[in-house]
Amino acid sequence: MPAQRTGSPAPEATPPRRSAFAEGVEQVRAAATTEPGRLRLIGAVLAVLIVAFGAVTAWQMTDRAAAADDVLHRSQPLSSGAADIYRSLADANTAASSGFLAGGQETAASRARYETDIRTAAAKLVTAAANSEPGSPSEAAVAKLNRLLPEYKGLVERASVYNRQGYPVGGAYLRYANEKMQKEMLPAAEDLYTKENARLSSDYADATPYPWAAIVLGLLALAALAWAQLRHYRRTNRVLNHGLVAASAATVVTLLWLVVGHTFARAGLDGSYDHGVRSLNVLHDARIASLKARGNENLSLVARGAETVTVDGETYDAYYYDFDQDMAALGKGLSQAAALADDSAGSKPVQAAEGNMKVWKERHAGARTEDENGDYQAALDKVIGAKGATAECFDSVDANLKNALAHEESEFQERATDGRDAMSGLPIGAAMLGVAAASGALFGIGRRLSEYR
């Protein structure tokens, strides 16, 4: 018989060690088979939901409050500042042409107006440069205007010097200055205004959306708390668990504060846009149109027919043609402003400006007739004369539009402030109430756990 082999039995294979996550899941599953384990799990879920609700509420409302503050203190003032740059440049151009027409009779007031407009534009450009992001289109527009402004001033000064000496070349310099203003400076200022308005719209878009993530988490937290209290009642026949009731109350207060506070904030911000920003934009456009119309009216007498434009086969004096276009834009802007005005304080200056515009057009027609008939001095008197001239109408239009802008600015400030203030304290309050609610839930669950010890 063959010899039998002897030896120790083969060792049993050691089962592979499970991952920490798998062991954790197994421990949770095992704990959930007992009532204390279930209570601990319920307490953890409630605390996580409530803390998440408070944290997301604080985060979302902090962002919205910051955007609302930007609307009030940053983007809207910068948008108005950009409009002021455009207005100051256009008004400086108008004042320069008025002074040129007066020649040696230029008044100190006319010269002071030109200088004031130039200083205002320069100061506003400094503010715009300080608030422009490096490399942004706004920074490029500001840089372009800062480069062109001294060039424009130099051309106007040359025109004034030659005009006082009686040299016709002064008119050419003034037309060149006007061309630089109309084709380079005002388009750059308009581009800056457009960019700042886009920033304003972006801040509104960040401030007004409902915080849906926070609202959904709040509802989930309330539903979980209601379920936990119903479970407690079914197992113990006790109606109230003080800790869970306190957590529910804190969560309800936070959710109501969130919804009601943001609703009021949204209403205030929407009102500041509908009854403030929209009116301001229309009024700024109308005021700019009146300034451009006045400048073209003056330049038509400076050029004396030297500049023409052909439209649909018809040839027109270029400045008279542009004047008609600007007056049409002014009339349209005033009609829109009147429709947007929501009280008599806003509508009265607009209606007054419409009346001034009507008289202006009538007087301008008379001046144009005199000019076309070759009576230059009579036309000049009807444009820049001491009494009964179109200058009076332009000044009245400008003054009434300035009053309307001041009223709409105050409307914006009031409503935007209400909107921002409605969110005041909400981020910090939500965080504190969230901590209190989570503590109450853990306390309530802890009381139940103590019954098993």
Side-chain angles (χ1 to χ4, degrees):
M1 294 181 61
Q4 294 182 351
R5 296 180 181 179
T6 60
S8 59
E12 295 182 3
T14 303
R17 181 177 175 81
R18 292 183 300 171
S19 66
F21 176 77
E23 291 182 353
V25 170
E26 184 61 30
Q27 290 174 2
V28 170
R29 184 181 301 168
T33 59
T34 65
E35 182 61 14
R38 294 191 191 98
L39 288 173
R40 291 188 182 94
L41 184 59
I42 291 170
V45 171
L46 289 176
V48 167
L49 276 175
I50 294 169
V51 169
F53 168 49
V56 171
T57 298
W59 164 55
Q60 289 195 311
M61 296 314 297
T62 296
D63 284 351
R64 283 158 176 75
D69 195 67
D70 282 344
V71 165
L72 183 61
H73 293 128
R74 187 167 177 264
S75 51
Q76 196 281 327
L78 287 174
S79 175
S80 289
D84 285 340
I85 291 172
Y86 195 117
R87 187 206 62 78
S88 296
L89 292 174
D91 193 51
N93 201 45
T94 298
S97 61
S98 296
F100 186 92
L101 285 175
Q105 308 298 319
E106 181 182 8
T107 64
S110 175
R111 184 66 186 177
R113 180 171 183 168
Y114 168 79
E115 295 290 350
T116 300
D117 285 332
I118 293 296
R119 286 196 299 270
T120 299
K124 296 288 185 180
L125 284 171
V126 171
T127 302
N131 288 278
S132 298
E133 296 179 2
S136 67
S138 294
E139 184 187 47
V142 171
K144 182 177 182 179
L145 287 169
N146 277 324
R147 174 176 57 83
L148 291 173
L149 189 57
E151 297 177 10
Y152 172 81
K153 286 181 63 181
L155 291 170
V156 170
E157 292 306 322
R158 287 189 182 185
S160 297
V161 169
Y162 286 126
N163 187 44
R164 283 194 293 269
Q165 294 174 352
Y167 295 139
V169 71
Y173 272 107
L174 187 65
R175 291 197 300 273
Y176 185 31
N178 176 70
E179 184 177 359
K180 183 177 288 291
M181 177 65 75
Q182 298 292 341
K183 294 185 177 180
E184 296 183 68
M185 298 178 70
L186 290 183
E190 183 177 11
D191 183 55
L192 178 63
Y193 179 50
T194 301
K195 296 296 187 300
E196 295 301 342
N197 265 349
R199 186 192 303 194
L200 175 60
S201 297
S202 177
D203 285 338
Y204 268 110
D206 290 340
T208 55
Y210 273 106
W212 290 115
I215 292 173
V216 169
L217 278 172
L219 293 174
L220 285 175
L222 274 180
L225 285 165
W227 173 82
Q229 290 177 88
L230 180 62
R231 182 180 185 276
H232 170 75
Y233 170 72
R234 287 175 175 174
R235 289 179 176 269
T236 65
N237 286 326
R238 298 171 189 165
V239 176
L240 298 177
N241 177 297
H242 295 145
L244 293 179
V245 169
S248 299
T251 303
V252 168
V253 169
T254 305
L255 189 58
L256 285 176
W257 189 3
L258 171 64
V259 174
V260 174
H262 190 271
T263 298
F264 276 102
R266 183 186 177 100
L269 290 169
D270 285 346
S272 73
Y273 186 85
D274 291 337
H275 303 290
V277 172
R278 289 179 62 196
S279 295
L280 286 170
N281 288 342
V282 169
L283 288 168
H284 279 308
D285 291 342
R287 197 177 187 192
I288 288 166
S290 72
L291 289 164
K292 292 170 71 174
R294 179 59 180 172
N296 284 313
E297 184 177 46
N298 290 340
L299 285 164
S300 66
L301 296 178
V302 173
R304 300 190 184 186
E307 301 286 342
T308 60
V309 63
T310 301
V311 180
D312 297 332
E314 295 288 334
T315 300
Y316 303 92
D317 179 289
Y319 297 112
Y320 278 144
Y321 180 83
D322 287 342
F323 172 86
D324 291 338
Q325 302 301 308
D326 294 331
M327 292 300 280
L330 173 60
K332 180 180 179 181
L334 291 175
S335 296
Q336 291 176 335
L340 289 171
D342 56 352
D343 56 19
S344 60
S347 61
K348 282 182 179 179
V350 175
Q351 292 168 356
E354 288 179 314
N356 301 145
M357 181 189 68
K358 182 179 178 181
V359 177
W360 184 2
K361 292 170 72 174
E362 293 171 355
R363 292 182 180 180
H364 172 80
R368 184 183 295 192
T369 299
E370 298 289 359
D371 186 33
E372 291 172 347
N373 290 336
D375 194 342
Y376 177 78
Q377 187 58 49
L380 188 64
D381 291 339
K382 289 181 180 295
V383 172
I384 64 168
K387 192 157 187 164
T390 59
E392 292 179 343
C393 302
F394 162 71
D395 288 339
S396 296
V397 168
D398 193 63
N400 280 309
L401 287 175
K402 183 178 180 179
N403 291 336
L405 281 164
H407 173 73
E408 296 301 335
E409 182 74 28
S410 66
E411 287 276 293
F412 163 81
Q413 290 282 342
E414 180 181 351
R415 293 172 187 262
T417 300
D418 289 343
R420 185 208 53 186
D421 290 349
M423 290 186 274
S424 296
L426 184 51
I428 295 176
M432 294 178 64
L433 285 170
V435 171
S439 300
L442 292 175
F443 174 77
I445 296 298
R447 291 295 300 271
R448 280 284 292 127
L449 281 171
S450 66
E451 298 174 3
Y452 290 89
R453 293 170 188 163

